[in-house]
Amino acid sequence: MRSEEMIASEWSDSSKQVSNSIQLFPFYETHTLARQVFRKKVRDNESTAYAIYKGKNPYLFLTVEIGKITNLLILETGKISWRSVFLAIDLFFKQTFQLNSTFVFPQSLPLYLQEVFIKYGYTVTENKVASKCFSYRTALVLGGGGARGAYQIGVWQALKELAIPIKIITGTSVGALNGALVLQDDFGAAKDMWEKIDTQKILSFPVSTTSGDTLGGMMSQIGSFTVNAIQSNGVSTEPLQKLIHDTFSQEKMQQVTADFYLVTTELPNMMEKNIHFNTCPSDQWQNWLLASASFFPAMAATKIADKYYVDGGYRNNIPVDIALRSDATECIIVDVKGPGITKPVKIPATTSCLTLQTPWSMGAVLLFDGARSTKNIQLGYLETMKVIGRKYLGYWYTFDETISSLEVFQQAFFTFVKQTYQIELWHTAEQKNKICKKLRRIYRDRVYTENVGMVLVELLAKTQEISASRLYTMQELVALLQQSNHVKTNLVENIGMISVQEWLKKYYEDYFLLSDKQQLALMNNLLDSDEKEKPQRIAFLLDKLPAQALQILMKEFILQGVDQ
């Protein structure tokens, strides 16, 4: 099940479905009045109107005000049972971990509807208020991914702030190590460990004297690591053993209340082995943590009793199946894009599963860096607050803004374009749809009239390699874009140690003519080469390459602010 807040500018996309809908409960005297009120809520952008989808099509429309459902429409042609309706409502509220679901009616409900509510777990008071309290058995599923695992600590920070209790933890590889940190419930110690981490605290191999802040230095370190791994049948994990011993308190681990399962892989048959930490002998749990994270052949296998074990990612890198077998009612899955096998799992209709996965690259898997970890922790925190907390806006970046405040900035941009080039943006529905469609391809998330200004600023900031690991206002990010036009940003300084893949991507963006960055620069130079022809050329580009043309116009608008 998927739900989306409805936006005024997208009303035309769903107006037909709403027009063909009827109210399921007597919120209003007539179906027509219910539709009219719903339409007004959407068009006023009050952030109270939502659509619930089945596949690609919406079939339920509701308004939620101060946590209470005040209108509910269903497609008249849709054949749907009471059970399906109430299940959809439950999942809608449980996706953001609300304590209850409440319907408020203007007058007493008919007796038969009161009985329907009672049948599906609601309590009816005063004959016109129906409420249902939710109980949660939430699982935190932590995937493998080595040094990228710092992101999971940021997710945990947000979950603690949102007061979401975790009853089940499942983890593979670094997810198992982080799972044990969550189980120990000492966020300060976990954050401190990750912020001070480096590769030598995890693995023992001769470190290259060359700095990892350059591509050559990075390749030198990888070369040293690879040679040592081949010669030693896996790099020694003695530093990781020490880190586990020093970080985890046996006393705290014996006081845990959540269930914790980790995944490792048994050699030589490569069989998945699941360890229930709570019932594991206390003299073995440190070894099982080490085994789950032993990324053989890069790292040495771990011997427990008379058998050898390696990284659980070889069999089950994102152990959501274990959480489901443990009767989880919700799963928060944190995928840090680590190497390994993701098992296909069928999610029960009654279970809400939410996957957190950043669109950003998070660095190398086996090269650890405290500065990069700090950035990834912040990234995990902010993105969780966006997705679950729904406190902030943005996709690539995180904004402490509202749709209304963004519209003010955007309207100033539209006015600038009109006054400077006599071009009116968004003057036809066809133009709007064309531009939004093009922008979605490169933005990778929803683009609509009210957020297009924010989208353009995010794309420009991404091109300028501005860090996403902090909370911005629009004014703050615009100020950084203004500065970046005069001072070249340093990616390593912004985010810490970067991977070979990130170095190559940066090289491509900086020097290849086909990269987005270079195409924007070439188009900008072309436009600036002839001021008289510039308005006509911009109009042409808006028709043929609207996404790129709008980014150029937004950059000009931002820099105009510097001059003023």
Side-chain angles (χ1 to χ4, degrees):
M1 188 213 78
R2 177 172 65 91
S3 63
E4 280 186 353
E5 179 184 332
M6 297 189 69
I7 304 297
S9 62
E10 294 184 324
W11 172 251
S12 60
D13 299 335
S14 53
S15 61
K16 184 176 180 180
Q17 290 97 325
V18 175
S19 297
N20 292 329
S21 298
I22 57 174
Q23 59 176 340
L24 199 57
F25 301 110
F27 288 103
Y28 297 94
E29 292 181 0
T30 65
H31 298 304
T32 300
L33 181 57
R35 289 191 290 264
Q36 289 173 348
V37 173
F38 185 83
R39 184 183 301 116
K40 187 176 187 304
K41 295 289 185 184
V42 176
R43 288 183 169 175
D44 289 348
N45 268 336
E46 293 185 5
S47 298
T48 59
Y50 298 87
I52 296 178
Y53 289 75
K54 190 173 185 180
K56 294 183 178 180
N57 301 312
Y59 71 103
L60 283 176
F61 305 92
L62 67 158
T63 56
V64 181
E65 302 176 64
I66 320 176
K68 298 177 176 62
I69 297 174
T70 55
N71 199 356
L72 180 62
L73 300 167
I74 184 171
L75 274 176
E76 191 171 9
T77 55
K79 295 180 180 179
I80 186 170
S81 64
W82 283 117
R83 180 181 180 277
S84 297
V85 169
F86 282 107
L87 178 59
I89 297 298
D90 285 358
L91 292 176
F92 172 81
F93 281 101
K94 293 180 84 171
Q95 281 180 342
T96 51
F97 296 88
Q98 301 299 306
L99 296 177
N100 55 63
S101 166
T102 302
F103 291 76
V104 179
F105 299 98
Q107 55 192 10
S108 296
L109 283 170
L111 183 59
Y112 82 93
L113 283 179
Q114 293 185 40
E115 291 174 349
V116 169
F117 274 105
I118 292 169
K119 179 180 178 180
Y120 289 98
Y122 283 77
T123 300
V124 180
T125 56
E126 300 179 357
N127 298 328
K128 59 181 181 180
V129 177
S131 296
K132 178 180 181 178
C133 293
F134 295 125
S135 60
Y136 291 91
R137 183 169 166 77
T138 303
L140 181 61
V141 180
L142 303 173
R148 300 169 185 170
Y151 180 89
Q152 296 171 343
I153 300 301
V155 172
W156 176 34
Q157 178 186 2
L159 296 179
K160 286 176 71 68
E161 189 171 311
L162 294 169
I164 296 174
I166 303 300
K167 299 297 184 182
I168 304 165
I169 306 164
T170 66
T172 296
S173 192
V174 74
L177 296 174
N178 282 334
L181 289 169
V182 174
L183 194 70
Q184 192 168 262
D185 197 26
D186 188 344
F187 174 75
K191 186 170 182 284
D192 185 65
M193 184 200 81
W194 274 102
E195 289 180 342
K196 293 178 180 177
I197 205 166
D198 62 53
T199 306
Q200 290 298 296
K201 291 181 179 179
I202 303 296
L203 304 169
S204 177
F205 67 97
V207 180
S208 167
T209 56
T210 310
S211 170
D213 290 349
T214 64
L215 179 57
M218 174 68 70
M219 294 300 293
S220 178
Q221 289 200 14
I222 291 174
S224 175
F225 174 88
T226 304
V227 168
N228 188 262
I230 293 171
Q231 291 176 344
S232 307
N233 198 26
V235 170
S236 170
T237 56
E238 285 185 15
L240 179 57
Q241 293 179 48
K242 184 178 186 306
L243 183 68
I244 291 172
H245 180 271
D246 294 344
T247 303
F248 297 104
S249 162
Q250 189 165 340
E251 181 182 348
K252 288 182 179 179
M253 297 304 246
Q254 290 173 342
Q255 298 172 357
V256 300
T257 56
D259 280 317
F260 175 38
Y261 299 84
L262 63 80
V263 181
T264 185
T265 304
E266 183 182 321
L267 295 179
N269 54 17
M270 297 299 289
M271 293 290 291
E272 176 182 343
K273 187 173 182 66
N274 301 329
I275 302 298
H276 185 205
F277 208 77
N278 308 65
T279 58
C280 173
S282 59
D283 61 340
Q284 291 185 6
W285 60 261
Q286 290 190 6
N287 287 334
W288 286 120
L289 284 174
L290 181 65
S292 182
S294 296
F295 188 47
F296 185 83
M299 299 164 67
T302 299
K303 186 177 182 180
I304 301 176
D306 58 345
K307 294 182 179 180
Y308 285 90
Y309 299 89
V310 294
D311 197 295
Y314 281 108
R315 303 304 302 164
N316 190 359
N317 199 47
I318 303 176
V320 65
D321 57 320
I322 301 174
L324 295 174
R325 289 200 301 269
S326 302
D327 300 321
T329 55
E330 299 77 34
C331 293
I332 300 172
I333 303 165
V334 191
D335 182 2
V336 291
K337 309 176 191 175
I341 293 174
T342 300
K343 292 167 64 174
V345 177
K346 185 176 181 180
I347 307 298
T350 55
T351 303
S352 172
C353 280
L354 181 66
T355 299
L356 296 168
Q357 184 185 66
T358 182
W360 292 96
S361 171
M362 290 185 288
V365 172
L366 289 175
L367 294 178
F368 293 77
D369 173 61
R372 188 64 187 266
S373 294
T374 299
K375 297 296 184 182
N376 285 340
I377 289 172
Q378 293 167 341
L379 201 60
Y381 169 78
L382 291 171
E383 293 185 349
T384 305
M385 295 303 286
K386 276 191 292 191
V387 175
I388 298 179
R390 296 188 178 179
K391 290 187 66 174
Y392 306 124
L393 299 178
Y395 178 66
W396 292 96
Y397 292 83
T398 307
F399 294 94
D400 189 8
E401 299 279 2
T402 64
I403 289 178
S404 298
S405 65
L406 290 176
E407 282 188 286
V408 173
F409 169 81
Q410 182 168 288
Q411 191 55 50
F413 168 60
F414 285 177
T415 301
F416 165 79
V417 174
K418 184 176 181 179
Q419 291 178 348
T420 308
Y421 298 108
Q422 291 72 54
I423 295 173
E424 189 168 347
L425 298 173
W426 256 242
H427 66 286
T428 66
E430 182 183 1
Q431 184 199 43
K432 182 201 80 169
N433 292 334
K434 181 179 180 179
I435 290 174
C436 286
K437 184 177 180 181
K438 295 285 187 182
L439 280 172
R440 282 188 203 107
R441 290 179 183 174
I442 55 176
Y443 185 64
R444 303 183 197 171
D445 199 38
R446 288 178 78 187
V447 179
Y448 42 85
T449 300
E450 292 84 350
N451 79 343
V452 71
M454 178 190 75
V455 168
L456 294 171
V457 169
E458 286 190 76
L459 292 174
L460 286 173
K462 186 168 173 279
T463 301
Q464 293 300 315
E465 299 172 354
I466 293 174
S467 172
S469 299
R470 57 160 286 194
L471 181 64
Y472 292 99
T473 63
M474 181 59 72
Q475 184 178 4
E476 288 169 342
L477 191 53
V478 164
L480 286 178
L481 281 168
Q482 292 168 345
Q483 294 172 20
S484 69
N485 191 60
H486 304 288
V487 180
K488 186 174 177 62
T489 55
N490 185 307
L491 185 59
V492 176
E493 288 181 3
N494 279 344
I495 64 173
M497 182 185 291
I498 64 177
S499 66
V500 171
Q501 183 181 10
E502 289 168 328
W503 275 114
L504 295 175
K505 183 177 180 181
K506 176 175 170 56
Y507 186 83
Y508 173 82
E509 287 292 333
D510 286 346
Y511 298 107
F512 278 72
L513 292 178
L514 294 178
S515 73
D516 292 340
K517 187 174 183 178
Q518 291 304 311
Q519 283 189 43
L520 283 177
L522 287 170
M523 290 170 64
N524 196 46
N525 291 337
L526 175 65
L527 291 173
D528 288 342
S529 64
D530 190 335
E531 286 296 325
K532 289 184 179 180
E533 294 292 324
K534 191 172 182 178
Q536 290 80 5
R537 290 178 178 179
I538 287 176
F540 175 80
L541 288 174
L542 279 170
D543 181 55
K544 302 300 180 183
L545 297 168
Q548 292 84 347
L550 281 171
Q551 287 181 72
I552 291 170
L553 288 171
M554 176 58 78
K555 184 176 181 180
E556 188 174 335
F557 168 64
I558 288 171
L559 296 181
Q560 187 90 351
V562 176
D563 297 335
Q564 292 174 353

